[in-house]
Amino acid sequence: MHAFKIPESVDAMHRKHLQEIPDQTSNVTTSFTWGWDSNKTSELLSGMGVSALEKEEVDSENIPQELLSNLGHPQSPPRKRLKSKGNDKDFVIIRRPKLNRENFPGVSWDSLPDELLLGIFSCLCLPELLHVSSVCKRWYHLAFDESLWQTLDLTGRNLHPDVIGRLLSRGVVAFCCPRSFVDQPLVEHFSPFRIQHMDLSHSVMDVSTLHGILSLCSKLQNLSLEGLQLSDPIVNNLAQNSNLVRLNLSGCSGFSESALKTLLSSCSRLDELNLSWCFDFTEKHVQVAVAHISETVTQLNLSGYRKNLQRSDVSTLIGRCPNLVHLDLSDSVMLNHDCFPEFFRLSYLQHLSLSRCYDIIPETLLELGEIPTLKTLQVFGIVPENTLQLLKEALPHLQINCSHFTTIARPTVGTKSHPEIWGIRCRLTLQKPSCL
């Protein structure tokens, strides 16, 4: 085999070029030019599987080529990007046009500080806020800043529990979500919520899902679960909210008297409590309730227990809660005129409801007019129409049968354009997709 011999003229040329390259340690600056034929550029790139860049304008910076082609035709839809086949090894290097700030007078959105953008975002309604979150990463993080998600209203929506979890983890303080439908279990794991006011009344929700949400709540002050199926673990979880002020469990079911005892014993700051019409409440439930209700309660609804609420229970209750201002014992057929002296022990009683307590004789109601602080008296169903007018004339200082429904511990109802929850206005809402 013969070795290939490089011609001396070629070898000498290479050495000459190498000598012209300056040493990195040398201070001598040497200039030289590469002897490359520009006509061979496309041939070389083609052999590498690369296509040459076309000459571009000065103002350019990394925008996909198909978007560039659409800039001159804003009405035409963007072309779909073709998927390369598995055996296609060709690829294209592209650049996006650089944005020349001189061509766009005024202040750039990118130059605005986060505080100013948050102020602008705070004027957006929920759909608009979700739209701007998809503009870029920075706007996404700003759009989900906890300062913008203090109050949220999703009344009557079909929701996935993980969506609820993600939203509440944004720092929501007031969450209004009654009459909603949640039919799947909570899958993701979230850190404890900061929520303080929550209304889930009459929602369709699995017990395990409700338990998963409430287990992450420990700072609740106002809570309404009216009409929901509960469980002992749920009620025991509620007991960790020692700052509860208003609690509405009207129409709830599924928990034992021991769980109720744990809850009432832990909530020592309760001011309003609604335990009316709990479906599976027994006489034992009622006895536990009146014996462990916090003495701080001023508004209480224990209506709907018919034969399970006895006069002895009323005596125990009033002895434990002497500061009652609003008391509703409607639909308790075991109460009669004999329990009236108990009401006189309440020095602050202003509103009393005894509707459909059929053992009370209408004529004896005149005695209740002597309670010095009493302002309203609800006696629907026990006073005939022809006698009601006489009763009103005999007790002119009282408003009789002025309200059919109780408001104890129930969320306040605002206007459709300005929904509220216990007097707190919910800024983010889907009820009306316009800025509030």
Side-chain angles (χ1 to χ4, degrees):
M1 178 180 295
H2 298 282
F4 179 76
K5 185 176 181 180
I6 301 176
E8 293 182 0
S9 59
V10 177
D11 184 50
M13 181 181 66
H14 286 178
R15 285 198 302 272
K16 180 180 179 180
H17 286 172
L18 291 175
Q19 289 174 0
E20 292 178 355
I21 300 176
D23 188 2
Q24 293 181 355
T25 61
S26 174
N27 294 328
V28 179
T29 303
T30 305
S31 61
F32 65 93
T33 57
W34 293 99
W36 177 256
D37 187 357
S38 59
N39 295 328
K40 297 182 179 180
T41 301
S42 59
E43 180 181 351
L44 175 62
L45 293 179
S46 177
M48 297 173 59
V50 180
S51 61
L53 289 172
E54 296 181 1
K55 188 176 181 179
E56 55 188 2
E57 297 180 1
V58 178
D59 305 337
S60 69
E61 151 192 20
N62 299 344
I63 292 181
Q65 195 65 30
E66 58 265 32
L67 295 183
L68 282 177
S69 62
N70 289 332
L71 291 179
H73 307 281
Q75 301 300 329
S76 60
R79 294 180 297 177
K80 294 184 178 180
R81 183 175 299 178
L82 298 178
K83 296 183 179 180
S84 60
K85 299 180 180 179
N87 56 359
D88 188 0
K89 298 181 181 180
D90 293 338
F91 63 95
V92 179
I93 298 177
I94 58 176
R95 293 178 184 172
R96 291 190 291 190
K98 295 180 180 179
L99 299 177
N100 190 348
R101 296 182 183 273
E102 298 179 356
N103 295 338
F104 300 95
V107 180
S108 170
W109 283 97
D110 294 334
S111 65
L112 296 180
D114 290 350
E115 294 78 7
L116 185 53
L117 284 176
L118 286 174
I120 296 173
F121 289 176
S122 67
C123 299
L124 303 179
C125 60
L126 182 54
E128 294 169 344
L129 186 61
L130 295 177
H131 281 308
V132 300
S133 68
S134 62
V135 171
C136 61
K137 289 183 178 180
R138 183 191 179 204
W139 283 28
Y140 174 84
H141 292 294
L142 290 176
F144 284 100
D145 187 87
E146 64 180 33
S147 64
L148 303 177
W149 293 84
Q150 295 293 303
T151 57
L152 178 63
D153 178 21
L154 296 178
T155 300
R157 298 292 166 175
N158 189 350
L159 302 170
H160 192 283
D162 287 339
V163 173
I164 297 178
R166 294 183 198 128
L167 292 177
L168 295 184
S169 63
R170 296 293 177 182
V172 175
V173 175
F175 183 46
C176 184
C177 193
R179 302 182 302 280
S180 298
F181 184 77
V182 184
D183 65 339
Q184 299 182 35
L186 193 66
V187 177
E188 296 185 23
H189 297 282
F190 302 96
S191 56
F193 302 144
R194 302 178 186 179
I195 190 166
Q196 299 177 12
H197 319 278
M198 182 161 62
D199 179 16
L200 299 176
S201 302
H202 302 291
S203 293
V204 179
M205 186 178 303
D206 187 75
V207 173
S208 61
T209 302
L210 181 61
H211 178 254
I213 295 175
L214 293 177
S215 63
L216 299 173
C217 302
S218 60
K219 299 182 179 181
L220 289 170
Q221 297 179 14
N222 300 317
L223 176 64
S224 179
L225 301 176
E226 183 168 346
L228 298 186
Q229 175 76 21
L230 307 182
S231 65
D232 282 0
I234 289 177
V235 177
N236 289 329
N237 277 332
L238 293 180
Q240 67 183 344
N241 296 274
S242 57
N243 292 325
L244 269 173
V245 176
R246 299 180 182 89
L247 178 60
N248 180 17
L249 299 181
S250 175
C252 292
S253 59
F255 56 98
S256 64
E257 61 271 11
S258 60
L260 177 63
K261 178 180 178 180
T262 301
L263 173 62
L264 296 179
S265 300
S266 302
C267 300
S268 58
R269 299 183 180 181
L270 275 177
D271 180 66
E272 298 182 28
L273 177 62
N274 191 336
L275 289 175
S276 62
W277 294 99
C278 292
F279 298 131
D280 51 4
F281 256 37
T282 63
E283 186 176 349
K284 184 67 174 178
H285 281 85
V286 175
Q287 292 174 356
V288 168
V290 299
H292 295 88
I293 291 178
S294 173
E295 62 182 10
T296 60
V297 171
T298 62
Q299 300 187 45
L300 176 64
N301 190 342
L302 276 178
S303 62
Y305 294 116
R306 302 189 179 278
K307 295 182 179 181
N308 290 329
L309 181 65
Q310 307 291 330
R311 186 200 169 190
S312 59
D313 298 325
V314 176
S315 180
T316 302
L317 170 64
I318 293 177
R320 186 169 179 82
C321 304
N323 299 319
L324 283 172
V325 175
H326 192 166
L327 179 61
D328 190 343
L329 300 177
S330 301
D331 297 280
S332 301
V333 297
M334 302 302 293
L335 301 185
N336 54 33
H337 172 263
D338 295 338
C339 67
F340 285 5
E342 302 293 342
F343 301 141
F344 281 85
R345 295 168 54 191
L346 298 173
S347 303
Y348 306 100
L349 184 63
Q350 297 182 14
H351 311 283
L352 179 62
S353 297
L354 298 172
S355 298
R356 293 170 296 279
C357 295
Y358 296 114
D359 274 1
I360 296 178
I361 302 174
E363 289 76 8
T364 61
L365 294 174
L366 294 174
E367 296 182 19
L368 297 178
E370 299 177 7
I371 300 177
T373 56
L374 194 63
K375 296 181 178 180
T376 65
L377 178 64
Q378 315 303 328
V379 286
F380 291 100
I382 63 177
V383 180
E385 289 295 331
N386 55 351
T387 308
L388 181 59
Q389 186 59 34
L390 296 176
L391 183 62
K392 291 181 178 180
E393 293 175 358
L395 303 174
H397 61 288
L398 294 183
Q399 297 183 28
I400 301 176
N401 290 359
C402 58
S403 177
H404 289 82
F405 304 102
T406 180
T407 59
I408 296 176
R410 282 177 169 163
T412 54
V413 180
T415 61
K416 291 183 179 180
S417 58
H418 302 290
E420 294 182 352
I421 175 173
W422 285 291
I424 302 172
R425 177 179 170 181
C426 293
R427 192 186 70 84
L428 295 179
T429 177
L430 290 175
Q431 294 295 322
K432 184 179 180 181
S434 61
C435 297
L436 299 179

